[in-house]
Amino acid sequence: MKTTKFLLLRFSSIGDIVLTTPVIRCIKTQYPDAEVHFATKKQFKVLVENNPFIDKYFLLEKSLNPFIKTLQSEDYDYVIDLHNNLRTSIIKLRLGKKSFSFDKLNFKKLLLVNLKINQMPEVHIVDRYLETVKDLGINNDLKGLDYFIPEKDKVQINESYVAYAIGGQHYTKKLPTNRIIEVCQKINGKIMLLGGKEDSQAAHEIEKVLGDKIINACGKYNLNQSASLVLQAEYVITHDTGLMHIASALKKKVISIWGNTVPEFGMYPYLTEFKIIENKELSCRPCSKIGYNKCPKGHFKCMNDLNLDF
């Protein structure tokens, strides 16, 4: 008897892929004899290679044609498209298998961004992802997100600290450095700054002002190691970024700081204790469903005027 095979598609980015993990787990545990495969971009291998609920993964590098030919050889029963863009539409067409596609609600997002008319459902994106596979009898097991840290990447820190993920994919999703310093000044005890090499300059400026209170980990650890540091923190402060979802997966308390984007898009911390910090007094917000490299209005009030009491 042929094994039932599922292919899940989500090509980016860190947070979005972490948010698909309940779908992966629920399919694998509710179809225990099935094979669950996952396709993503090569740079996100770290997010799939350690997941025990994924039987096989495929990494897109450059050309789509050979990638699709490899997928065709697997003879899938079902394709679960959790990205739903032009690339995944081509893949689904070429595979010619029964598919289930995530509704991105792009029109409703456009209404919210451009006209400030909110018709978004009050439903987390994880629950919307799971809605995509409801006709397969898949139910939410309410276990939250997954993130698996391999033994080789576990970092041991022998002191207590609050973790602050100071990065963000776009400038308008991050507090300015002077305001990050304000946040850090409110916290008693050590603060570990997490981020990539691109956050090193800001981290250095913060460290220069606050001295030994700061443990500067920006640019010094890979993603799994950063997750290990998140796991050991008392709680986590973060912008709307991938480490926010990793912190949720690790069941940490999250202080979530929002700039130009809004939780109404459905991507706030999932099934963990959290608090949202946002400026709800602005008529210009949200100005984008993603973010910009500078404030379109020039004032950046969503971050500059934000009440940082928590």
Side-chain angles (χ1 to χ4, degrees):
M1 184 177 173
K2 180 181 177 293
T3 300
T4 303
K5 295 174 80 171
F6 293 87
L7 172 65
L8 283 78
L9 305 172
R10 181 72 219 192
F11 287 95
S12 63
S13 49
I14 292 172
D16 298 287
I17 294 169
V18 173
L19 288 165
T20 68
T21 56
V23 181
I24 299 166
R25 182 185 64 247
C26 288
I27 291 175
K28 186 62 181 175
T29 56
Q30 293 170 39
Y31 281 75
D33 297 325
E35 282 190 32
V36 177
H37 296 188
F38 198 97
T40 192
K41 288 182 182 176
K42 184 182 179 182
Q43 60 262 45
F44 301 114
K45 178 183 177 182
V46 64
L47 298 172
V48 295
E49 64 181 340
N50 301 301
N51 190 328
F53 300 111
I54 295 175
D55 296 296
K56 193 173 183 180
Y57 56 84
F58 299 90
L59 304 173
L60 176 64
E61 295 189 53
K62 293 179 182 176
S63 176
L64 195 57
N65 275 333
F67 186 75
I68 291 175
K69 285 180 181 175
T70 301
L71 297 178
Q72 286 172 328
S73 70
E74 293 288 342
D75 190 23
Y76 290 107
D77 294 282
Y78 303 110
V79 179
I80 314 299
D81 182 3
L82 299 178
H83 205 138
N84 201 1
N85 63 3
L86 179 59
R87 179 191 289 118
T88 60
S89 296
I90 293 169
I91 292 171
K92 286 181 294 189
L93 182 65
R94 294 271 300 274
L95 291 181
K97 300 295 183 179
K98 185 169 180 59
S99 63
F100 301 84
S101 302
F102 172 63
D103 184 352
K104 296 171 82 169
L105 303 180
N106 281 336
F107 180 70
K108 291 182 179 181
K109 289 179 186 174
L110 285 172
L111 280 178
L112 184 52
V113 169
N114 296 317
L115 299 177
K116 307 301 182 271
I117 298 171
N118 185 11
Q119 292 189 352
M120 293 293 294
E122 292 183 15
V123 179
H124 197 283
I125 195 168
V126 169
D127 298 306
R128 288 173 47 216
Y129 278 156
L130 283 159
E131 183 81 6
T132 307
V133 292
K134 70 173 184 179
D135 288 346
L136 290 165
I138 303 296
N139 298 305
N140 191 347
D141 61 10
L142 300 177
K143 292 182 179 178
L145 308 179
D146 285 327
Y147 193 92
F148 300 96
I149 306 168
E151 205 61 41
K152 67 181 175 65
D153 285 327
K154 290 180 179 177
V155 181
Q156 187 61 46
I157 303 294
N158 295 315
E159 60 182 320
S160 180
Y161 59 88
V162 171
Y164 189 164
I166 66 170
Q169 197 171 0
H170 301 276
Y171 171 82
T172 53
K173 295 174 86 169
K174 299 185 287 187
L175 274 176
T177 303
N178 65 306
R179 302 232 66 200
I180 293 175
I181 291 169
E182 275 185 58
V183 171
C184 293
Q185 286 171 330
K186 294 173 182 286
I187 297 166
N188 294 320
K190 295 266 190 175
I191 302 157
M192 180 175 288
L193 304 181
L194 297 174
K197 290 179 180 176
E198 67 278 7
D199 302 306
S200 295
Q201 184 179 343
H204 178 68
E205 290 176 29
I206 297 161
E207 193 176 16
K208 199 160 61 174
V209 173
L210 298 175
D212 291 343
K213 181 175 187 172
I214 298 298
I215 307 167
N216 181 3
C218 290
K220 299 174 183 176
Y221 296 94
N222 65 32
L223 188 63
N224 283 333
Q225 291 167 336
S226 296
S228 177
L229 297 173
V230 164
L231 182 61
Q232 295 169 74
E234 292 179 48
Y235 62 92
V236 181
I237 305 167
T238 174
H239 304 135
D240 172 20
T241 187
L243 275 177
M244 176 177 75
H245 300 300
I246 290 173
S248 299
L250 298 172
K251 305 298 184 284
K252 304 305 293 187
K253 177 183 176 181
V254 177
I255 307 296
S256 179
I257 299 172
W258 294 69
N260 79 293
T261 55
V262 293
E264 283 80 0
F265 289 137
M267 299 178 73
Y268 44 90
Y270 187 68
L271 293 187
T272 196
E273 183 183 353
F274 69 94
K275 181 174 183 181
I276 298 286
I277 307 293
E278 62 177 327
N279 188 342
K280 301 190 84 166
E281 307 302 317
L282 299 173
S283 61
C284 56
R285 184 174 171 268
C287 61
S288 163
K289 63 180 182 179
I290 303 172
Y292 294 110
N293 61 7
K294 63 179 182 179
C295 171
K297 298 279 189 181
H299 53 61
F300 202 25
K301 287 183 178 180
C302 60
M303 287 301 201
N304 285 328
D305 292 355
L306 186 60
N307 182 341
L308 292 171
D309 289 338
F310 56 84

